[in-house]
Amino acid sequence: MISISHHGATSGVTGSCHELTLGQGAQKSGILIDCGLFQGQDEGRGASASDLSIDFPIEHIRALVVTHVHIDHVGRIPYLLAAGFEGPIICSEPSAIMLPEILEDALKIGFTRNRQLIERVLGLIRSRLVPVPYGKWHSVFAEGDCSLSVRLQRAGHILGSAYVECDARVGDSEERIVFSGDLGAPHAPLLPSPKSPERADRLVIESTYGDKDHEDRETRRYRLKAVLEHALEDGGTVLVPAFSIGRTQELLYEIEGLIHEFGGELWGNLEIIVDSPLAAEFTRIYRDLKPYWDAEATDLVRQGRHPLSFEQLTVINSHEDHLNAVDYLARSHRPCVVLAGSGMCAGGRVVNYLKAMLGDKRNDVLFVGYQAAGTPGRDILTYGPRGGWVELDDERYDIRARIHQVGGYSAHAGQSDLAAFVSGIPVSPREIRIVHGDQDAKQALKRCFQSLAGIDIIIPSE
Ligand SMILES: [Zn+2]
């Protein structure tokens, strides 16, 4: 008896949280894969602490495996601990470094401002972390006729991201179950591409971009260059709402490349500002963890380049400096690229920039990531190009700035990447479960997998 269930990422306010259970009744044991918090459409709709508390039994849960440290995969870990979870938190080595950082931020925003309490929770989380190297089997438990081992493989999504292979055995039946987590696009900057699993009897796959394909890297780089050049000609600011982990670093990497390649008046004088303490912190961690970079990035370092800490890059930390920067840029119209969070404009420092800059047509807003329905980011993207408005902190702001989107800096695999991930498995899985995506994306991905014969395709609902 080996079963899979889902405690989130099918609908509602919670993010990814899947359970793999071995055995049944009093004998059962299980693990959780991720324990996330949803961001976007449902976020503001009654997502109170009681909604977020863990509403399923956890006495039999022996471990939590974390695929990567995005908040929609780890945000409910404090609630899991509060519910009495006592097992280890298994994750990749880079994730073990990043997890306390991201949760510290999440705790401050959504949980408490009490410093002592935050430190206690973080201390607890640190004591539970079990970093496991990529590609190495790790035994979670083996008792009587039940055993479970997990192995993490590179997912190419953000630093430390992994898909999880689980070897489960109950009596005579044994199975390899794979949880994809979020998969990265192949040929993304900085990180090696994910490789298909060597075996997956059952696969749980996330489908954020299940209905879309990305532009390829060269097209995207060219488009980024064109958007930036065009935007900067008239001396405005290019505002990039960016997520702290993943896209910010990919984008800095690409911009450093453009500066290096094209130089000249425009590129040589272009100023890049990262206005987010968290993004700056994760950029530092990315910089420190070069052994996890791909061959291309490692080569640049060997040539003496510094893809994530170049001369034209300024980091803003304090709130006072942030307010000064907003003010200064809104008045001076200096050619500048600002990366500020949050990525979907639902809060964070980007909101102050938007308020100050949306009304001026010399400015540009460049979206590089997924914008969930119901977020200001989605509204700006939808109504901006038609001369519409967006509501920020209960006030309307007319959008005169030009709005652009460059696909692919999304750190998510597109539809054909997901299809390639599945068709690369030597023997097709007998069951695929599609989770974590808009309904359209899930349905589109289902249709796409249906061409692979003999697979039972399930879209679970809670
Ligand atoms: Zn993610």
Side-chain angles (χ1 to χ4, degrees), residues 67-73 157-158 181-183 247 411-412 436:
T67 63
H68 67 288
V69 305
H70 273 150
I71 212 73
D72 56 339
H73 291 256
H157 170 56
I158 59 166
D182 286 347
L183 294 169
R247 292 156 189 115
H412 281 280
H436 204 283

Side-chain angles (χ1 to χ4, degrees), residues 140-420:
V140 182
F141 58 83
E143 288 148 9
D145 65 350
C146 253
S147 71
L148 181 68
S149 298
V150 296
R151 184 167 68 171
L152 304 178
Q153 301 285 12
R154 288 165 185 271
H157 170 56
I158 59 166
L159 189 69
S161 63
Y163 66 82
V164 186
E165 302 172 299
C166 305
D167 264 356
R169 190 180 56 79
V170 178
D172 293 338
S173 60
E174 58 95 29
E175 235 190 301
R176 171 81 54 91
I177 296 133
V178 176
F179 294 85
S180 75
D182 286 347
L183 294 169
H187 315 299
L190 272 169
L191 300 175
S193 315
K195 294 194 177 71
S196 300
E198 58 184 27
R199 181 185 157 197
D201 303 319
R202 284 197 268 179
L203 171 68
V204 178
I205 194 161
E206 318 233 359
S207 68
T208 307
Y209 278 91
D211 56 347
K212 287 190 193 69
D213 264 335
H214 298 314
E215 294 163 277
D216 66 63
R217 170 114 180 254
E218 254 330 287
T219 315
R220 201 171 66 192
R221 192 165 176 272
Y222 178 79
R223 291 234 304 131
L224 176 68
K225 175 174 177 278
V227 168
L228 291 184
E229 281 178 346
H230 183 71
L232 297 166
E233 265 167 15
D234 55 8
T237 297
V238 179
L239 182 60
V240 188
F243 297 82
S244 304
I245 319 168
R247 292 156 189 115
T248 293
Q249 292 76 26
E250 286 188 7
L251 212 57
L252 291 176
Y253 180 88
E254 293 288 62
I255 292 173
E256 190 272 345
L258 292 171
I259 291 173
H260 182 83
E261 189 175 342
F262 299 102
E265 177 75 17
L266 191 148
W267 291 99
N269 293 315
L270 178 62
E271 197 174 345
I272 319 293
I273 295 177
V274 172
D275 190 350
S276 155
L278 198 62
E281 176 63 10
F282 283 110
T283 305
R284 186 189 63 72
I285 295 174
Y286 261 71
R287 224 160 37 219
D288 289 350
L289 295 178
K290 290 191 183 69
Y292 295 93
W293 292 14
D294 67 4
E296 179 195 288
T298 312
D299 257 8
L300 296 186
V301 174
R302 225 173 277 132
Q303 293 163 29
R305 301 252 300 267
H306 301 281
L308 295 181
S309 56
F310 47 98
E311 234 172 73
Q312 289 157 248
L313 176 67
T314 306
V315 170
I316 293 178
N317 272 309
S318 77
H319 192 69
E320 194 185 338
D321 289 348
H322 155 68
L323 294 177
N324 287 337
V326 173
D327 204 41
Y328 174 71
L329 288 174
R331 279 187 291 112
S332 77
H333 304 293
R334 209 177 136 178
C336 180
V337 178
V338 179
L339 284 78
S342 70
M344 299 189 205
C345 310
R349 292 184 174 182
V350 77
V351 176
N352 286 334
Y353 283 101
L354 288 168
K355 288 178 182 171
M357 291 175 175
L358 276 180
D360 187 336
K361 62 178 172 34
R362 274 175 301 190
N363 296 321
D364 296 70
V365 182
L366 170 63
F367 288 100
V368 293
Y370 180 74
Q371 303 298 313
T375 59
R378 174 74 77 96
D379 288 348
I380 294 170
L381 201 53
T382 311
Y383 305 115
R386 307 178 207 161
W389 51 268
V390 62
E391 198 173 288
L392 299 165
D393 293 337
D394 301 323
E395 247 180 85
R396 272 189 190 199
Y397 290 84
D398 290 329
I399 306 170
R400 290 192 201 91
R402 281 169 300 186
I403 310 299
H404 316 265
Q405 187 174 33
V406 177
Y409 290 98
S410 63
H412 281 280
Q415 185 184 65
S416 27
D417 307 326
L418 294 172

Side-chain angles (χ1 to χ4, degrees), residues 35-72:
C35 197
L37 195 64
F38 188 80
Q39 293 168 302
Q41 194 166 28
D42 299 315
E43 192 177 28
R45 201 188 60 196
S48 66
S50 62
D51 290 329
L52 298 173
S53 63
I54 302 297
D55 58 355
F56 50 90
I58 57 163
E59 298 75 38
H60 61 289
I61 299 296
R62 307 285 293 269
L64 166 69
V65 185
V66 167
T67 63
H68 67 288
V69 305
H70 273 150
I71 212 73
D72 56 339

